[in-house]
Amino acid sequence: MQLPTSLTFPHWRAVVRHSIPNVLEGKIVPAVLFIAILEWSGTRAAVLGALAFALGAMLVRVLRKQTITGLLWLTTLGLVARTIAALATGSAVIYFLQPTVSTALFGLAFLFSVPLGKPLVERLVLDFCPLDDETRAHPQLRRVFRDVSLWWAFTSMVNFSITLWLLLSQSPTTFVIVKSFMGPVTTTVTFGVAFLWFRAVMA
C-alpha cells in the first residue's frame, strides 16, 4: 500500500460526534450507575453493578462483532480491581489501594499492548478521533502510538510506586492531601509530554 504524502485528520465536529458515545459507555454511565447504586444499596452492590454494566457492554460489542473501545477496556480493568478490593477486607489500606491497583493495571495494559502490535494509545485515539486506514497505517503515526503507549506505561508505574509508598508509610490524612495534588500533576505531565511528543514526531 502506497503511503499518503500527508495525513488527514477529521474535523472537530466529527471527533465530538464519534467520541461522545464512547465516553458515555466507557466512563459516564459506569460512574453514574456506581453513584446511584451506592446511595441505594452500599459499596458492594455499587461496584458489582458498575462492573456488570462494563462486562455487559463488552459482551454486546463482541456479539455485534464491534471493536471494544480503549476507554471501555480501561474502565473494566479498573472496576475489576475495585471489586476485588471492595470484596476483601474493609481496612483503610484496602480502600485506598483500589485506585492504586487500577493505575498499575493501566500501566501494564499499556506496556503489554506494544509487543502485541496493538498499542493501547491507538485505541484511545480512535475512541475520540476516527482516522481512515491510510492515516492509521502511516509509519510516523504508528511510531507515535508505540512510543506514547510506553510513556504512559512508565508514568503509570511511577505513579503506582509513589502512591503505594505513601499509602504504606504515611498517615491517611497525609496520603489524601499528597495524592490530591499528585494525581492532577501526573495526569497533566503525561498528557503534556504525549502532546509535545506527537507534534515533534509528526512535524
Side-chain angles (χ1 to χ4, degrees):
M1 181 177 65
Q2 184 177 2
L3 296 176
T5 57
S6 62
L7 298 180
T8 302
F9 293 94
H11 192 272
W12 67 267
R13 289 191 181 92
V15 173
V16 171
R17 286 194 300 268
H18 181 78
S19 62
I20 285 178
N22 295 328
V23 173
L24 285 172
E25 178 190 55
K27 283 295 181 183
I28 296 179
V29 173
V32 171
L33 187 63
F34 176 86
I35 294 173
I37 299 177
L38 180 65
E39 293 295 324
W40 180 48
S41 299
T43 302
R44 176 172 297 191
V47 295
L48 289 175
L51 178 60
F53 170 83
L55 293 175
M58 295 180 72
L59 178 60
V60 169
R61 283 186 170 269
V62 170
L63 294 177
R64 292 181 176 178
K65 297 182 179 180
Q66 297 175 336
T67 301
I68 299 175
T69 66
L71 279 176
L72 187 56
W73 271 114
L74 292 177
T75 297
T76 304
L77 284 173
L79 289 172
V80 167
R82 294 178 184 182
T83 300
I84 293 173
L87 296 180
T89 65
S91 68
V93 172
I94 294 297
Y95 174 79
F96 289 118
L97 193 61
Q98 296 176 27
T100 306
V101 172
S102 298
T103 299
L105 290 176
F106 293 164
L108 291 175
F110 280 107
L111 179 62
F112 290 126
S113 70
V114 173
L116 292 176
K118 298 180 179 180
L120 192 51
V121 164
E122 178 180 4
R123 290 202 173 196
L124 291 175
V125 169
L126 294 177
D127 288 351
F128 297 94
C129 186
L131 302 176
D132 57 65
D133 292 338
E134 287 188 347
T135 300
R136 289 176 59 186
H138 197 285
Q140 290 292 83
L141 197 57
R142 300 296 303 171
R143 175 185 168 191
V144 170
F145 290 150
R146 180 200 66 197
D147 292 348
V148 174
S149 291
L150 292 174
W151 163 246
W152 211 311
F154 171 75
T155 57
S156 295
M157 298 313 294
V158 169
N159 188 2
F160 165 74
S161 300
I162 295 175
T163 302
L164 186 62
W165 174 76
L166 287 170
L167 183 59
L168 298 178
S169 63
Q170 305 298 317
S171 67
T173 301
T174 302
F175 173 82
V176 171
I177 294 174
V178 175
K179 183 62 178 174
S180 65
F181 286 98
M182 189 177 73
V185 169
T186 303
T187 301
T188 301
V189 170
T190 300
F191 276 100
V193 172
F195 176 73
L196 294 175
W197 202 329
F198 172 80
R199 291 191 61 182
V201 172
M202 298 310 297

